[in-house]
Amino acid sequence: MRKLKCCRRNPRRKEVNMKTDVAIIGAGPAGLMLGHLLRQAGIEAVILEHRSADYVLSRIRAGILERVTVDLMKELGLDDRMNREGLPHDGFYLADGERMIHIDMKELTGQSVMVYGQTEITQDLMEAAAPRGLEIIYSAEEVALHDVDSDTPHVTFRKDGAEQRLDARFIAGCDGFHGPSRQAFPASVGKAFEKIYPFGWLGILADVPPCNDELIYANHERGFALASMRSKTRSRYYIQVPLSERVEDWPDDQIWDELATRLGPACTENITRGPSIEKSIAPLRSFVFEPLRHGSLFLAGDAAHVVPPTGAKGLNLASSDVAYLSKAFIRYFKKKEEAGLDTYSSTALARIWKAERFSWSLTTLMHRFPDAGAFGRRMQVAELDYIAASRAAQTSIAENYIGLPL
Ligand code: FAS
Ligand code: PHB
């Protein structure tokens, strides 16, 4: 394990003082990718994660990688397993009752997406950390940010009962929607934009073959459903449920019945049932916090924004954030140029808002809203009719789904 710079014990308070260039809060995809990009450029970084490594790996989340994420893993030389085990997908379906509209991304844009779970990306990044000198401190408790509006910020935390302090030139808040970094912005500085959806997604993971070779997003009178996958032998499905639902009230068979009903003919006869290996309900929200920088503190990933997973953008926005932020840090440490840091927030937000729009739009099109009424349903049918008949409309969906350029 690489020795940290200036790692010395504070005799007065049993405090361990460490120093690095960039302190990263959170070992999710954003923090891990940023840490690796900085280390690859010879910049010191330490990641503080309040959960254990096993807990981080136990979370089942995203499944679709845009080119930006695939390219980042390739740039890091960590794409071997993804290229072996990942599934390139050229298209997906929008189902509306009996109707199946194919969005042929490859034909319309020349590009594909990669089906490879966030869990796998996280594992690949975690396993490569120690050999590449990327320090990750797991189970770091009571992480607190200090002096973020100065040039000498620091982070305090407890580890194995000892107070610890990490001094850094910058702090990257990659601690997700519920982390402390966004809270470290003065109330007068930040502005949040939020939309809460009146339903959640109940997700199930099962070691059964997928019902279809490509993803199916279904708008059914009983609600939205999504047929996705992790491999040719492991399926990931979702159904829209009211926010009042509890996962313990959903036995597997009831979920399989709903999926068979909602996903339409392409799935009904092909769906393979099996015991869930993971089952959870996630709320849906659209959220953006502006700006993404305050002094020496920068936000990236879910710490800055959240999207409803309908557009498969969450993980991929984390990738584009850290692609911008890592370049800005590298310009600073290598050339003492602050321009990248000064423009990071506006540059990242420009792409974030476009992804927020697409995720909101596809969620609005494919879900049944309790208060939409007959007119709202007619709007959905009219839009699906238009998409079914318009190459331009399909191209717009395809280019947003594969990910807009950086
Ligand atoms: P993350 O939330 O992944 O990581 C933040 C890290 O910070 C975590 O490891 C957390 O433990 C740590 N942290 C938090 N507080 C801390 C503290 N005080 N101190 C230290 N560390 C702290 N996206 C999709 O594209 N498709 C999906 O299907 C999908 N499903 C999702 C389901 C759920 C339940 C959730 C919550 C999100 C889902 N997402 C999905 C979005 C998700 O994939 C995120 O976009 C992605 O994890 C973003 O990565 P990070 O920004 O790294 O945040
Ligand atoms: C997933 O496989 O988890 C997944 C795929 C596409 C989405 C959301 C989630 O839009």
Side-chain angles (χ1 to χ4, degrees):
M1 193 75 81
R2 186 176 53 85
K3 282 287 296 161
L4 288 174
K5 277 182 178 173
C6 316
C7 192
R8 60 183 183 283
R9 185 167 293 282
N10 177 331
R12 289 193 309 282
R13 294 182 51 214
K14 278 197 326 164
E15 189 176 80
V16 175
N17 286 5
M18 296 177 283
K19 189 170 176 57
T20 189
D21 293 327
V22 180
I24 298 172
I25 318 294
L32 290 166
M33 283 189 283
L34 178 61
H36 274 293
L37 288 164
L38 295 178
R39 286 299 303 131
Q40 184 165 268
I43 295 166
E44 301 289 342
V46 175
I47 300 178
L48 299 178
E49 166 57 51
H50 74 161
R51 299 288 192 177
S52 69
D54 288 344
Y55 183 94
V56 172
L57 279 176
S58 70
R59 293 187 301 230
I60 305 297
R61 289 190 175 165
I64 302 295
L65 308 184
E66 290 178 3
R67 170 129 319 277
V68 64
T69 305
V70 171
D71 288 350
L72 267 187
M73 294 301 282
K74 183 177 179 184
E75 181 183 341
L76 290 170
L78 295 175
D79 57 336
D80 283 352
R81 189 163 74 100
M82 178 178 68
N83 293 331
R84 280 199 316 275
E85 299 176 13
L87 301 172
H89 272 210
D90 293 344
F92 63 92
Y93 291 89
L94 299 177
D96 180 33
E98 302 291 307
R99 171 164 55 175
M100 293 283 282
I101 303 168
H102 190 227
I103 305 295
D104 188 343
M105 295 180 286
K106 189 74 172 179
E107 198 277 320
L108 292 163
T109 70
Q111 290 193 50
S112 310
V113 293
M114 176 73 84
V115 172
Y116 188 67
Q118 175 172 326
T119 307
E120 311 317 321
I121 288 275
T122 305
Q123 182 177 327
D124 295 340
L125 292 163
M126 285 166 70
E127 287 176 352
R132 296 185 178 203
L134 175 58
E135 187 88 20
I136 307 176
I137 300 176
Y138 292 101
S139 306
E141 298 167 342
E142 298 166 31
V143 171
L145 291 73
H146 306 274
D147 301 332
V148 297
D149 46 5
S150 77
D151 288 352
T152 56
H154 69 277
V155 184
T156 56
F157 61 98
R158 290 177 62 77
K159 173 71 178 171
D160 302 331
E163 284 293 325
Q164 315 238 358
R165 172 178 166 137
L166 175 62
D167 287 86
R169 175 61 194 85
F170 297 108
I171 300 174
C174 301
D175 43 345
F177 184 69
H178 299 289
S181 294
R182 196 174 64 247
Q183 312 310 323
F185 278 59
S188 59
V189 166
K191 177 168 177 51
F193 302 80
E194 186 169 48
K195 176 180 178 56
I196 307 278
Y197 296 87
F199 41 74
W201 277 18
L202 188 160
I204 185 171
L205 190 69
D207 281 330
V208 294
C211 69
N212 196 52
D213 59 355
E214 291 184 332
L215 271 62
I216 299 175
Y217 293 80
N219 179 331
H220 186 274
E221 62 185 356
R222 293 178 62 83
F224 169 83
L226 169 60
S228 182
M229 62 195 78
R230 291 293 176 269
S231 69
K232 293 192 186 304
T233 59
R234 176 168 285 193
S235 296
R236 178 69 169 165
Y237 289 99
Y238 297 92
I239 54 172
Q240 170 188 348
V241 294
L243 285 172
S244 54
E245 291 295 307
R246 299 179 313 154
V247 68
E248 50 269 29
D249 295 335
W250 280 84
D252 288 2
D253 276 347
Q254 186 180 334
I255 300 172
W256 292 118
D257 290 344
E258 269 315 312
L259 286 166
T261 303
R262 297 188 189 188
L263 285 168
C267 264
T268 307
E269 55 268 14
N270 297 339
I271 206 160
T272 305
R273 298 178 179 225
S276 58
I277 53 179
E278 193 272 350
K279 198 162 51 173
S280 55
I281 294 179
L284 269 61
R285 76 175 77 237
S286 296
F287 177 88
V288 179
F289 184 83
E290 293 183 351
L292 304 186
R293 173 189 190 182
H294 177 63
S296 298
L297 171 60
F298 294 79
L299 300 179
D302 275 21
H305 46 73
V306 176
V307 283
T310 322
K313 293 287 158 244
L315 167 58
N316 296 298
L317 273 182
S319 301
S320 49
D321 288 352
V322 299
Y324 295 131
L325 187 53
S326 60
K327 289 183 176 61
F329 280 145
I330 292 165
R331 270 182 76 179
Y332 175 83
F333 285 103
K334 298 298 182 190
K335 299 180 181 174
K336 286 289 173 249
E337 291 176 5
E338 306 222 3
L341 297 171
D342 294 340
T343 56
Y344 163 68
S345 183
S346 56
T347 304
L349 282 167
R351 192 174 192 273
I352 289 163
W353 276 113
K354 294 188 188 87
E356 288 282 347
R357 183 211 64 83
F358 175 69
S359 304
W360 160 80
S361 167
L362 199 57
T363 302
T364 304
L365 176 64
M366 298 308 290
H367 289 72
R368 293 299 172 104
F369 287 70
D371 59 354
F375 181 81
R377 177 58 190 150
R378 281 285 188 277
M379 289 296 98
Q380 290 184 334
V381 173
E383 186 168 350
L384 286 162
D385 288 346
Y386 169 56
I387 293 165
S390 164
R391 180 183 176 82
Q394 292 173 25
T395 303
S396 172
I397 290 174
E399 66 181 15
N400 278 280
Y401 196 87
I402 61 164
L404 297 178
L406 287 180

